[in-house]
Amino acid sequence: MQMNRRNALKGLAGGAVGAWAGFRLPLAYADDYAGRFFVFIQADGAWDPTSFCDPKTNTPGEPIINHWAESADVEEAGGIRYAPVAGNAAFFRKYHDRTLVINGVDAQTNSHATGVLHNWSGRNAEGFPSMTALLAVQHSPDKPLAYLNFGGFAATEGVIRFTRLSDADRIHALAYTNQLDNDEILRPDEWSVLQEYRARRAARLNEAPGLLPRQARNRRHYASALSATATEGLKRYADSLPGEDELERDVQYAYDGDNFWNGLKRQSQLTVLAFRTGVAVSADFFLSGFDTHRSNDAKQHWLLRALTESVDYLWEYAETHGVADRLVVVIGSDFGRTNHYNAEDGKDHWPIGSFVVMEKNQSWTNRAVGETDALHFAHKINPTTLRRDDAGGTIIYPKHVHLALRRHLGLENSAFAELFPFPNTEDFRFFG
């Protein structure tokens, strides 16, 4: 115990706060947030929309686009058409009334790096943050863990910090810094002296002359990470987390030499409890493996089922914990896959993809907008009518989706969003 106490004194007195796996805490905790919560799910590697939400059957005289279409036809739930494979039927039959599908989104690239950047920032060049970051800084920058990220694209461009979260035990370690195996490391009088010293040191750092704006901001963040309100928020979150045996485990699938891991259900648990206890407002989920250059159908169908079953779990868990009525879910990928199979029965990169947006009790759901032809080429769409318009319409690009989402989610005129504008961009009325 003597060694533990010595190490704790060195680390805490030296300012090693928030060092656990990149955890960084912004200003102060606020428990009066009454707005929406946001989950963006990145299907990493490029999914196959023609086997999901933009289903395509085979065209005579053209290469086979989908093997499933050799013996089945497109199905429909409400106003949404889907491919009758994987878990699509169960998903869309249950959730069509809270779902908008945006098809025919052109990422303008076959490069994974550019596709990820374009779809999740709205621009195909670096320099724009994720919408998840903008939502966190706009709606509640003072949450202890305002922006959670479980992998994938998480550019912040300095507007806020993200928390890379996977290990629930580390949340407990952050919340209860004077505990080791549920025993206090320092006596109460020692802990009090250390806190007083730390507060004086933080004040001295904040008052140093000639600080650049970034330095001043970082020092305020350091001080706020130690505030009582931030600590109480983390304790509330840590206390809400189930034990390791009650957290969902990653599910593995192996096929044709590739291994896939689905951790979305655990990500759902950790995120919903963060929302419920008031420490976060937005999160990026991550499911990889969609780059199916071999054995496309077996892999895509498993991954799509894993995705839809996990999104179902997210909604059910959110219902259980009372946050489903405030939840917005956005699902997307790098781009799509080719309209034919390659020599290894896989599919290669194709720039046309889709987005799925989910929210309860909305007038704009239960439909699909955007349009592609029988071979999955995008048609031009009229931004106002959302119908095909070869003469006066435009191809849908990720910037159109981002611009419309910004308006719908309350970002359109925010100070930080205005730093990252989409000038000369058509105004698609996806959300009315």
Side-chain angles (χ1 to χ4, degrees), residues 130-199:
S130 70
M131 188 172 297
T132 334
L134 289 175
L135 287 163
V137 72
Q138 168 68 12
H139 289 291
S140 202
D142 47 6
K143 297 290 182 184
L145 306 174
Y147 176 11
L148 298 175
N149 176 273
F150 293 90
F153 186 78
T156 66
E157 301 307 325
V159 301
I160 200 166
R161 290 141 312 281
F162 69 83
T163 298
R164 182 63 56 83
L165 179 60
S166 60
D167 187 347
D169 289 339
R170 293 187 175 184
I171 289 293
H172 190 276
L174 276 172
Y176 294 94
T177 52
N178 191 33
Q179 285 188 6
L180 182 66
D181 297 328
N182 295 318
D183 293 325
E184 287 191 344
I185 300 172
L186 304 176
R187 296 190 305 268
D189 58 325
E190 295 174 320
W191 185 244
S192 178
V193 169
L194 182 61
Q195 288 178 309
E196 290 176 8
Y197 171 82
R198 194 171 55 189

Side-chain angles (χ1 to χ4, degrees), residues 50 56 68 153 165 228-229 324 375 427:
T50 69
K56 300 299 174 187
W68 62 259
F153 186 78
L165 179 60
T229 49
L375 297 180
D427 187 7

